[in-house]
Amino acid sequence: MAPTPSSSSKLSQTHMRTPQSKQRLNFSSTRNNPQHPNSIAAKENPPGEHPVEVIGRIRNYPGDQKDKNPIPFLHINPDNNTLRVRADIGYRDFSLDGVSSSEEEDLDAFYKKFIESRINGVKMGAKCTVMMYGPTGSGKSHTMFGCPKQPGIVYRSLKGILGEHGEDENGGERLGVGTFVQVTVLEIYNEEIYDLLSTNGGGGGFGFGWPKGGNGSKAKLEVMGKKVKNANFISGNEAGKISKEIQKVEKRRIVKSTLCNERSSRSHCMIILDVPTVGGRLMLVDMAGSENIDQAGQVGFEAKMQTAKINQGNIALKRVVESIANGDSHVPFRDSKLTMLLQDSFEDDQSKILMILCASPDPKEIHKTVCTLEYGAKAKCIVRGPHTPTKDKNEDSSSAALLGSRLAAMDQFIHKLQMENKLREKERNEAHKELLKKKEEAAALRALVEGKGTSGATEEEINAKVNEQALILKLELEKKLDKCRRMAEELVEMERRRMEERILQQQEEVEMLRRRLQEIEFELCCSRDGRNAVENEAKELDSGSSNFAKRLIGIYGDEIPGMVKSMDLDMGDPEPVMHDSSGIHPDGFAPQFGPKTGLSTVYEEEEIEEDEEQKENEEDEVVEKLIIEEKRVCSSEIVNDLRPKQSDSDTASSRLLRIQNIFTLCGNQRELTQQISTETPTKPMAETIDHYWSEVKSLDKENSPPGLIAACLNKKETPYNDFADAQIEVYVKWEASKEIPGKFITTLKVVKDATLADLRKLIEIYLAADNQAFTFLLLGPVGSY
Ligand SMILES: Nc1ncnc2c1ncn2[C@@H]1O[C@H](COP(=O)(O)OP(=O)(O)OP(=O)(O)O)[C@@H](O)[C@H]1O
């Protein structure tokens, strides 16, 4: 912690002596007062000077009180130096060095009128003490510190010494390169001195009356002689920065609400502003309110004691002033900390004191105002006596001490400047290096840009290149597309050829089958009609496949005995005709034929009257439609048994009869099948079931015959035996639609409970055309044909 210039120097502490400490100030007694024209001193000695100047400052009415008191009791006389206090019984004039009303002169005007000249003196090395004296609420702090709109004397003085931006206020030449100030801020409270710039709290706090949000406890300082020891200070040459610091610490002052002032300063505040380069010193003292204990309205012993202690400084100062003014041999400077610190201000003949007496215009405050003015008038009367040789001798030693102090402060400041200079030098070097680096980077970038500019292509060239590349890519793409197209065409062609080959192959197979069929038919004819017939058939077969169909008609054209000729009973088709057990068709069409092996399904041609060419074509179609499968042969006896009796033309009764016959037939067949199916189903049988299963799978289940589907589905879960048990074989002959003419014969397996509708569905599946209409012609047990 750096000491204040005055306290840091041991020299100043030990050797500094108040020049006039051993010499009484001449006071204004008539006898000794040199100002008095009749005084002896005036005759013998040159007139002494007044070390204390007194200015009256009348604050404006607080709030709306002005309206309530239209007639002011304080009146400034035209000479501007006399203040008249009016009372009911008369008036009293107080002669001062100046009077100012804050209503007429704001702080700026007041500063310029009464303070500025003294600050200029400090700048030149003079010493000046400005102290605010007056009762609480009279505007002391306001005048000293001001308000945000109007800076007080403290800040204006700083600006006056250092200038706005480190230059002097008038914007002229600075007072040498080393013009700076050192500022110490002290607070005297309860007869203790505290360092408001200290934040470490070495001296402990008060615990009473601290302002809210204070920066913690303050350091307590000791007084050595007439100076404080180890006080912190702010040094610098920028008024703004220092002002900000003072503003901060000023808030740390102890304030308290009193009857007289809501935020009453309960302490004396002393701002010591040294200008080491010239030895100037400005002491700004904002004194606590000068009211007495009762006026302060404090209650309680402790509070009263505090008020008493606060007043101790005021009372001591009052006594000092009176003592000096009276020419007493002893001036009680040491009665209070305040007067100890102000001793130099009174005794140093180069020091001037400006006492600002603050007064309120409120008539209620008249008593305090009069007291204050009386006090000021006394202080104004202090006259500093002429110098004596002894004093000169003392002055010399004092001057030496002062010089030593100044030199120490200068050394300190120079050291500080050197450090700052080094720091700035370092920053400058770093900035310079950074600048060089940036320059290099900029040069490199420039070179890059320039290089690109010379070697690079123009925009048109770049565009042309891009277009060229795009064209190449497009051509390549088109080539690839062509290739793909060709490949696809080749593939299609290949596939087409393969399909053609397959068709040819299938045609060959069909041809082979046709031939095989012819052989079978031939064998069949041989077995039935004998050799001649066989020869005839062979001849017919040789003559073309159309004869095959013709022969089939010959063979199967008649209704098979025991078969039902059905006209789709469910759909109201023409009624089927039932054969009698003799196997004779009602039309006399159906011939008898015995058990036989052969086709389960054949296509019957009805008309073979067309010309040869047409016949050949139709034969080809018929051959293609042939479905050959192995067929089990049933005995004709069964058919005979199952065959219904000869039907008559009575439609209703014959229909009922026929239906009954069908179910009888189916029932008989079921019995037969049950007998047969005790054996394990043969492979063809299993294949047939599989065939139906695959057919049924492709069906739309909702529209499928329930019995059949059930059977087929059950077949999946049940073994063949069970499935065979559940089925019977039925011989069915039907006629397809007119679009696809022809008759079909086949044996079908149906479930035992199947209805004609189921059978119809089965045939639809068989035809693989759901929408294809057809008509039942015959229905009967297997082997009945
Ligand atoms: N000239 C003025 N113009 C405007 N307001 C003023 C003026 N003088 C004082 N005041 C206001 O009056 C109130 C009391 O003033 P101030 O605190 O300066 O009195 P004080 O003499 O310092 O009192 P204390 O001794 O109790 O600290 C403050 O709110 C202050 O702003």
Side-chain angles (χ1 to χ4, degrees):
M1 189 184 296
T4 55
S6 51
S7 63
S8 63
S9 168
K10 279 191 177 181
L11 197 66
S12 65
Q13 287 165 13
T14 50
H15 300 288
M16 213 175 115
R17 296 180 65 194
T18 310
Q20 295 169 335
S21 60
K22 300 267 174 154
Q23 192 175 7
R24 299 287 169 266
L25 292 175
N26 295 320
F27 196 57
S28 58
S29 63
T30 312
R31 191 168 58 90
N32 296 325
N33 191 350
Q35 282 186 318
H36 200 285
N38 298 324
S39 68
I40 302 162
K43 287 173 187 167
E44 291 177 2
N45 299 315
E49 59 167 331
H50 289 277
V52 182
E53 282 185 88
V54 181
I55 308 289
R57 167 86 172 156
I58 303 161
R59 62 161 290 182
N60 48 7
Y61 274 99
D64 56 349
Q65 286 182 29
K66 189 179 180 183
D67 301 335
K68 293 176 189 168
N69 302 286
I71 306 160
F73 81 100
L74 284 176
H75 177 74
I76 302 170
N77 288 340
D79 62 356
N80 276 334
N81 286 334
T82 315
L83 187 68
R84 175 167 293 179
V85 182
R86 286 202 184 98
D88 294 338
I89 49 168
Y91 64 88
R92 189 176 163 189
D93 286 336
F94 290 90
S95 209
L96 306 170
D97 294 304
V99 184
S100 167
S101 163
S102 65
E103 258 193 2
E104 288 162 17
E105 290 171 338
D106 62 2
L107 276 173
D108 187 46
F110 178 75
Y111 175 82
K112 281 186 176 148
K113 193 171 178 183
F114 298 106
I115 316 290
E116 195 171 40
S117 57
R118 290 164 174 85
I119 299 302
N120 288 337
V122 172
K123 271 199 301 192
M124 303 307 290
K127 292 182 174 61
C128 181
T129 301
V130 180
M131 58 172 76
M132 315 301 297
Y133 186 87
T136 182
S138 57
K140 299 186 292 290
S141 301
H142 180 82
T143 311
M144 185 61 89
F145 295 100
C147 57
K149 282 182 186 172
Q150 293 185 68
I153 293 170
V154 175
Y155 308 112
R156 289 176 191 276
S157 303
L158 263 170
K159 218 168 104 180
I161 294 167
L162 296 172
E164 191 89 49
H165 303 289
E167 289 181 349
D168 73 355
E169 201 181 26
N170 301 322
E173 261 185 82
R174 289 172 58 173
L175 298 170
V177 182
T179 302
F180 72 104
V181 291
Q182 285 185 329
V183 184
T184 307
V185 186
L186 305 174
E187 182 180 42
I188 302 161
Y189 176 77
N190 250 350
E191 277 306 286
E192 296 284 359
I193 301 172
Y194 295 95
D195 187 351
L196 283 185
L197 290 176
S198 164
T199 51
N200 62 4
F206 302 115
F208 170 77
W210 279 101
K212 277 184 184 175
N215 291 332
S217 52
K218 296 172 252 187
K220 205 185 280 184
L221 298 173
E222 295 296 321
V223 183
M224 288 277 286
K226 292 172 274 183
K227 314 280 179 198
V228 284
K229 209 169 76 173
N230 298 328
N232 285 301
F233 63 90
I234 313 164
S235 68
N237 54 3
E238 288 178 57
K241 278 187 184 175
I242 297 169
S243 295
K244 277 180 189 165
E245 288 301 315
I246 294 171
Q247 272 173 358
K248 273 190 227 164
V249 300
E250 190 261 325
K251 290 190 177 69
R252 297 180 68 197
R253 274 184 79 182
I254 296 165
V255 292
K256 198 170 179 243
S257 178
T258 66
L259 283 179
C260 314
N261 186 1
E262 199 179 301
R263 197 180 146 81
S264 176
S265 309
R266 307 318 294 155
S267 62
H268 311 290
C269 181
M270 188 177 279
I271 296 167
I272 304 164
L273 213 147
D274 280 299
V275 191
T277 46
V278 290
R281 168 173 273 207
L282 177 67
M283 286 178 81
L284 300 168
V285 187
D286 179 22
M287 294 178 68
S290 60
E291 70 281 353
N292 60 39
I293 295 166
D294 293 333
Q295 285 167 339
Q298 299 296 300
V299 286
F301 177 75
E302 198 178 333
K304 283 187 176 179
M305 282 300 289
Q306 278 176 353
T307 310
K309 281 208 168 185
I310 291 162
N311 275 339
Q312 192 174 334
N314 287 327
I315 294 160
L317 184 65
K318 212 171 177 181
R319 269 199 239 123
V320 163
V321 169
E322 283 175 353
S323 178
I324 296 168
N326 289 335
D328 293 347
S329 55
H330 173 72
V331 180
F333 285 113
R334 302 201 72 81
D335 279 5
S336 76
K337 295 279 167 54
L338 178 71
T339 47
M340 281 167 82
L341 296 177
L342 287 174
Q343 189 172 349
D344 268 352
S345 304
F346 281 99
E347 291 186 340
D348 190 342
D349 61 350
Q350 291 188 15
S351 179
K352 298 272 186 186
I353 295 173
L354 182 66
M355 188 174 282
I356 298 171
L357 304 175
C358 293
S360 167
D362 192 346
K364 288 179 211 159
E365 302 282 313
I366 188 166
H367 175 67
K368 291 185 218 171
T369 306
V370 170
C371 286
T372 305
L373 290 171
E374 279 178 346
Y375 172 73
K378 215 171 244 183
K380 185 179 159 16
C381 291
I382 294 175
V383 177
R384 196 170 278 145
H387 289 188
T388 59
T390 2
K391 182 192 151 195
D392 290 340
K393 198 178 167 185
N394 287 335
E395 247 184 12
D396 289 343
S397 61
S398 174
S399 298
L402 272 173
L403 276 172
S405 168
R406 260 183 234 166
L407 278 171
M410 286 291 283
D411 285 345
Q412 214 172 4
F413 186 66
I414 288 164
H415 178 68
K416 188 187 163 194
L417 284 178
Q418 281 172 344
M419 294 302 285
E420 282 179 4
N421 203 30
K422 271 185 188 173
L423 200 73
R424 283 192 189 135
E425 186 73 18
K426 200 177 159 192
E427 284 172 2
R428 197 181 66 84
N429 286 339
E430 278 172 11
H432 186 65
K433 274 182 196 168
E434 193 67 22
L435 184 70
L436 284 175
K437 208 171 143 189
K438 293 279 171 204
K439 270 184 182 173
E440 279 172 17
E441 282 175 13
L445 279 172
R446 202 176 297 118
L448 200 70
V449 170
E450 282 169 2
K452 271 194 177 174
T454 51
S455 66
T458 61
E459 198 177 335
E460 287 81 32
E461 284 170 343
I462 290 166
N463 284 340
K465 268 192 176 178
V466 168
N467 288 338
E468 195 183 330
Q469 286 294 320
L471 203 67
I472 290 165
L473 285 172
K474 195 179 164 189
L475 286 171
E476 278 178 12
L477 196 68
E478 278 174 359
K479 270 183 196 169
K480 280 188 179 165
L481 277 172
D482 270 356
K483 202 175 166 186
C484 286
R485 209 177 295 126
R486 271 202 303 278
M487 275 169 71
E489 282 170 5
E490 278 170 16
L491 272 173
V492 168
E493 183 63 22
M494 259 170 63
E495 196 60 30
R496 194 181 63 78
R497 273 186 213 140
R498 204 181 297 150
M499 289 292 285
E500 280 176 3
E501 279 169 13
R502 276 181 68 186
I503 289 167
L504 279 173
Q505 202 179 338
Q506 280 174 356
Q507 280 175 352
E508 280 169 13
E509 282 172 11
V510 167
E511 184 62 25
M512 247 172 63
L513 287 170
R514 193 177 64 81
R515 283 201 191 113
R516 173 71 185 136
L517 184 65
Q518 284 174 352
E519 283 168 19
I520 292 164
E521 284 174 348
F522 180 71
E523 283 169 16
L524 186 68
C525 288
C526 286
S527 65
R528 207 179 67 171
D529 300 332
R531 190 178 181 83
N532 290 335
V534 169
E535 282 174 0
N536 290 336
E537 285 298 329
K539 280 178 189 170
E540 282 179 10
L541 283 168
D542 286 344
S543 68
S545 60
S546 61
N547 294 332
F548 166 70
K550 203 174 175 183
R551 189 176 52 76
L552 280 179
I553 292 167
I555 296 166
Y556 299 111
D558 294 332
E559 297 305 331
I560 301 162
M563 292 297 290
V564 174
K565 185 171 182 181
S566 170
M567 297 305 285
D568 195 344
L569 302 177
D570 291 340
M571 296 177 71
D573 291 341
E575 295 171 6
V577 178
M578 302 297 290
H579 293 271
D580 59 12
S581 58
S582 65
I584 300 164
H585 192 270
D587 302 330
F589 185 68
Q592 281 276 7
F593 56 91
K596 55 184 178 279
T597 57
L599 299 175
S600 63
T601 304
V602 292
Y603 179 77
E604 292 186 8
E605 265 189 319
E606 282 192 315
E607 301 295 332
I608 324 170
E609 302 293 325
E610 283 79 25
D611 58 68
E612 287 299 310
E613 204 173 299
Q614 273 182 330
K615 280 176 191 170
E616 276 176 18
N617 290 337
E618 284 170 4
E619 280 161 15
D620 287 342
E621 284 172 17
V622 168
V623 169
E624 280 174 17
K625 287 179 185 174
L626 283 176
I627 301 164
I628 299 169
E629 60 185 30
E630 285 191 37
K631 180 181 177 300
R632 287 190 298 157
V633 179
C634 297
S635 70
S636 61
E637 287 80 9
I638 300 166
V639 175
N640 290 334
D641 291 337
L642 298 172
R643 188 173 297 156
K645 301 295 177 189
Q646 177 67 44
S647 65
D648 57 31
S649 56
D650 185 356
T651 316
S653 61
S654 66
R655 179 178 172 83
L656 182 67
L657 185 66
R658 282 197 300 274
I659 293 167
Q660 283 169 352
N661 285 338
I662 288 167
F663 285 100
T664 309
L665 180 149
C666 293
N668 289 339
Q669 177 63 24
R670 203 176 300 140
E671 282 168 18
L672 178 72
T673 316
Q674 277 168 1
Q675 284 168 16
I676 296 164
S677 63
T678 49
E679 298 167 15
T680 310
T682 55
K683 196 181 174 188
M685 174 70 166
E687 282 174 358
T688 309
I689 292 167
D690 283 335
H691 169 70
Y692 286 149
W693 172 244
S694 62
E695 294 280 3
V696 169
K697 273 199 292 186
S698 65
L699 280 175
D700 178 7
K701 285 185 182 157
E702 282 179 14
N703 301 321
S704 298
L708 179 68
I709 291 176
C712 293
L713 291 172
N714 288 337
K715 170 245 174 190
K716 267 289 177 194
E717 282 87 31
T718 54
Y720 277 152
N721 276 342
D722 298 344
F723 189 71
D725 287 348
Q727 288 191 317
I728 57 168
E729 247 182 348
V730 182
Y731 174 78
V732 189
K733 182 178 177 183
W734 72 89
E735 186 181 47
S737 64
K738 283 180 183 173
E739 289 81 29
I740 308 169
K743 291 176 183 174
F744 292 84
I745 304 165
T746 190
T747 56
L748 292 176
K749 285 180 187 294
V750 294
V751 289
K752 286 174 185 176
D753 302 329
T755 62
L756 275 176
D758 295 347
L759 196 60
R760 171 174 283 280
K761 288 284 176 189
L762 207 58
I763 291 164
E764 282 172 358
I765 293 163
Y766 199 84
L767 287 172
D770 289 351
N771 297 325
Q772 193 172 318
F774 63 91
T775 309
F776 284 118
L777 295 175
L778 281 173
L779 182 65
V782 174
S784 63
Y785 51 89

